[in-house]
Amino acid sequence: MELLLLIAIVLAIAWQRKTSHRLARVEDELLAMRQRIDALAPVARPDAVIAETEAETLAPPAEDTAEAAADAAVATAAREDAVHDLKPPHDKEETRDTLESNLGARWAVWVGGVALALGGIFLIRYSIESGLIGPETRLILAGVFGLLLIGAGEAIRRRMIEPIADRYGNAMIPGALTAAGAITLLGATYAAHGYYGFIGATPAFVLLGVISLGTVALSLLHGQALAGLGLAGSLVTPALVSSTAPSPWVLFTFLAVTWLASAGAARLRRWTLVPVLANIGLGGWALAYLFEAFTPDITPPTLALLVVTAGTGFVWPGHRAEEPSSSTETWWRFLRRPPLGITLSLSFVVLLAALAMLAVDEGYSIMPAFAAASLVAALAALGAGRSYAVWPTLLSAVGAVACIGLMALILLDQAPVPVTEGGTAPPRSFGLEIAISLGLGGVFTFLGFAFLRRTGTLEPKLGALWALSMSAVPVALATISFLNFGTLAADWIHGLYGLALGAILLGIAQWRILRSEAGEADRAANLVALGSFAGLAFALHALTTGITTTILIAVIGFAYVLATRWRPWPAFPWAMGAAIVVVFARIAWEPTLVGPNQLGTTPFWNALLPGYGIPALLAVLAAYQLRNWQDHRARNFLQAVAALMGMMALVVLVRHAMNGGVLDDSVATLGEQSIYTLLTIGLSATLMTLDTRAPSPVFRYGSMIAGVLATANVLSLHVFVLNPYLSGESTGAWPLVNLLLIGYLLPALSYAGLAYYARDKRPRLYVMMLALAGALLGFLWATLSVRRFWHGDNIADWKGFLQNETYTYSVVWLLIGVALLVLGSRLDARSLRLASAGLVIITVLKVFLIDMSNLEGILRALSFIGLGIVLMGIGLFYQKILARRPAPPELPPAPEAKA
């Protein structure tokens, strides 16, 4: 094995000598070519050619025109030949790398460099195993061999031909030799410390660091690959050198210096891969230290990561990567702004380290929370200071919420509470945690304002992102702090913070609109204005409770609507919409608004009336106030939420009144559900009327959605689930005014009226659906009324059927069919005539299939006689209608074909 390695080394040296001879031959040919060019004329160099051309242009005309023209032609030809000869070969034709060129010019170089490095290591190993020389001599020879390789690389680099260096910059022989020498030196130094103990931990650490940093410095001459090698050596150095008293300050100081060195080299050569590896390496060391150390010191990794963040903003990429944004830039390209790898790796490294600091401490100290907040703030500052830092802006906002949320979770679930001598635990104060949460939110607001002030309207997308972050992040952090550390009854600290935040954001929005070319249409300013509502809404939640908060939220939203009279900002109507959404959320959390025990039992006159009624009234007034607003999306949204809020208020009041003053989730009765159906039909009619006066897609489609929902309730609840015949519910003692009236007849009449009103306003299928639903309810009312006539108020199915009852069904159904036929003919409603036909067919089937077998005597005869008379009357009716219709005009006879 050793013999094969020696042969490989000899072959590599022979290959190197052959390459050196070829390079010398190429240099001789270039020297001869330069001598021939110098012998032509002073015009051989391009700058001399240009100077001579300018001199000829400014010179006076020659006396002999023919001779001057001939001399100019000769000079032009000479210049063209000279310039043609001066063009480098790679400028004439760009050749593509082939498999042969990759194998011969690239892979052979790097494989040879690896072979040299392994050869040096194996040579040391061979000498050890053979016992030829002592360990001191072996290490000295290894060091000398590494220095010789580095020196050889530098010597060859200085004689390298420029075209070859340009084309094979990442596979140059000097770089491979230097890399092999660096690896040999690193190996020798580690062997001197780790295997033989010739040098202590501190000298070994210093030597390894010097070699690694020196390799990074040499990478300025040999390329980014060598820089990666030096960086890898620097990152591995702390793991190779063990110490009895390891110091995190030494570790992270060395890592920070290494990162700055690689960043400086990357700045000079505009590299993007080495900084990514440096970010990942330092972040990996920070995470390993935080999770592996028994009691980690938070300060060293925090300072190192702050150095990395600051270095990214000021060293590399710094300001050099900033480019003006394009008006045609898409959001996808915006999220991929270069240098994407550097900003993305830095963001993840900083956030993971911040979360790790909080996780390993478990709430014993405030320092991890402060350190995590500092890292997030530094990352946000990078996002505000550099236009390419899109991901630091995004992930700093997410990280701020994640860090404060994790801090709150750890403190509430795992933090130990000290117990006094008396055995009782005093209440713990969270003043510092509140200060960190609110302070970090204030940092985001300040950074957002600084960014908008610095960039103006040059960065519309990033400006909108910061306008959203500077309001959303403070509100989110304050909410987490209030819910976990605040006083839920009336917290003045959080309340005043919310009020100040809302006022500041309104002032920033006003300032932005005055400075922006877009004026009131500026997107960032309107996002900030909308964020001010979020701050004020948070303040209300911190200072008030219950029904008061719900009403005041709607009042603040309506105040934004009224402000459109003086400041017609596009964001103000959306504030009212957001207010109603918040009201919906509070209702979903506590439908009673005051608690079940505090809710009165008096129908309508209870806390639900102002709690639901005032927001609904303000929503309707806001929709009316903005009925002519230019932004149709905001106008339609307000109209929709106003309709929903009004409907919800009525439904909740009915629910409370129909359940004895209790608001719960029990199954509704038929009477209650009938009221809901009538309200839905009324909502559909109201929206249809509004659509005729002020056309709007919300009114148009909302009216049809309400009609469809009402029909779905009829088909599912009125017909099956809540049907007294199936449920056994009592219909009441009064013969006409009973449960069947409100459950079937009134909805049927409402459907009929709605279908008649919608004939020329809505699609034909929708009108037919309403008419058929009304006909079905009318049919059920008549049928169930017949059963109630024969069985009393309880019409449950277990009572069976009487013969007189069965015959009455046939009579009533036929009468209803005839009535529908007449009404459909008068109104020219095809849906009613179809319903009549369907009912008559059902009656015919009933007579022949049921009455024939169940009825006896005179009832059976009367059933068939009545059916026959009605059918003959219907036939005569249709004959008269068809006879009155004008016959279609006859077509003229076709002309006969001529023979």
Side-chain angles (χ1 to χ4, degrees), residues 601-616:
T601 58
T602 305
F604 299 104
W605 296 105
N606 50 67
L608 298 178
L609 182 61
Y612 284 80
I614 294 177

Side-chain angles (χ1 to χ4, degrees), residues 128-330:
I128 295 173
E129 294 175 351
S130 302
L132 299 178
I133 54 179
E136 295 88 348
T137 307
R138 287 195 295 267
L139 293 176
I140 293 174
L141 291 177
V144 172
F145 180 67
L147 292 175
L148 288 176
L149 289 177
I150 295 175
E154 177 61 19
I156 295 176
R157 185 194 65 81
R158 294 184 178 184
R159 303 180 62 185
M160 187 63 63
I161 303 174
E162 184 177 354
I164 298 177
D166 293 338
R167 183 175 180 184
Y168 301 107
N170 62 342
M172 291 299 295
I173 294 174
L177 293 175
T178 305
I183 293 175
T184 304
L185 291 177
L186 290 172
T189 304
Y190 178 68
H193 167 71
Y195 285 98
Y196 299 109
F198 291 153
I199 56 177
T202 302
F205 184 84
V206 173
L207 282 176
L208 290 174
V210 169
I211 295 170
S212 301
L213 295 177
T215 306
V216 173
L218 290 174
S219 67
L220 295 174
L221 303 175
H222 298 286
Q224 186 172 202
L226 187 62
L229 175 63
L231 177 63
S234 301
L235 294 175
V236 175
T237 295
L240 297 178
V241 180
S242 59
S243 175
T244 56
S247 172
W249 286 97
V250 175
L251 170 64
F252 286 101
T253 300
F254 171 75
L255 292 175
V257 172
T258 301
W259 189 94
L260 288 174
S262 62
R267 175 188 174 93
L268 294 176
R269 292 292 181 262
R270 303 187 70 85
W271 294 332
T272 57
L273 181 58
V274 169
V276 173
L277 299 177
N279 292 339
I280 296 175
L282 196 148
W285 269 109
L287 293 176
Y289 169 72
L290 291 172
F291 284 110
E292 294 298 330
F294 181 70
T295 55
D297 186 359
I298 301 297
T299 306
T302 302
L303 294 178
L305 290 171
L306 290 177
V307 169
V308 172
T309 306
T312 303
F314 294 103
V315 179
W316 176 251
H319 66 277
R320 295 190 175 187
E322 288 194 306
E323 297 179 358
S325 63
S326 174
S327 58
T328 60
E329 184 183 33
T330 61

Side-chain angles (χ1 to χ4, degrees), residues 464-476:
L465 187 61
W466 266 111
L468 183 63
S469 299
M470 68 187 294
S471 56
V473 173
V475 172

Side-chain angles (χ1 to χ4, degrees), residues 755-778:
Y756 181 77
Y757 184 59
R759 283 188 307 168
D760 54 349
K761 302 179 182 64
R762 292 296 179 263
R764 183 181 181 89
L765 291 177
Y766 176 74
V767 176
M768 290 181 61
M769 179 197 71
L770 297 178
L772 292 176
L776 177 62
L777 288 175

Side-chain angles (χ1 to χ4, degrees), residues 730-744 781 785 788:
S730 175
T731 59
W734 293 5
L736 182 60
V737 182
N738 49 46
L739 182 61
L740 300 180
L741 174 67
I742 190 176
Y744 294 96
W781 174 79
S785 296
R788 187 186 181 283

Side-chain angles (χ1 to χ4, degrees), residues 662-686:
V662 177
L663 201 62
D664 55 16
D665 58 350
S666 59
V667 180
T669 61
L670 178 60
E672 181 181 349
Q673 183 59 44
S674 301
I675 296 177
Y676 299 153
T677 302
L678 292 174
L679 289 176
T680 309
I681 296 173
L683 176 64
S684 178
T686 302

Side-chain angles (χ1 to χ4, degrees), residues 27-40 44-45 86:
E27 290 178 355
D28 294 338
E29 292 178 358
L30 286 176
L31 181 61
M33 184 182 297
R34 182 176 300 173
Q35 292 175 356
R36 289 196 301 270
I37 292 172
D38 293 338
L40 289 176
R45 297 179 60 83
L86 280 176

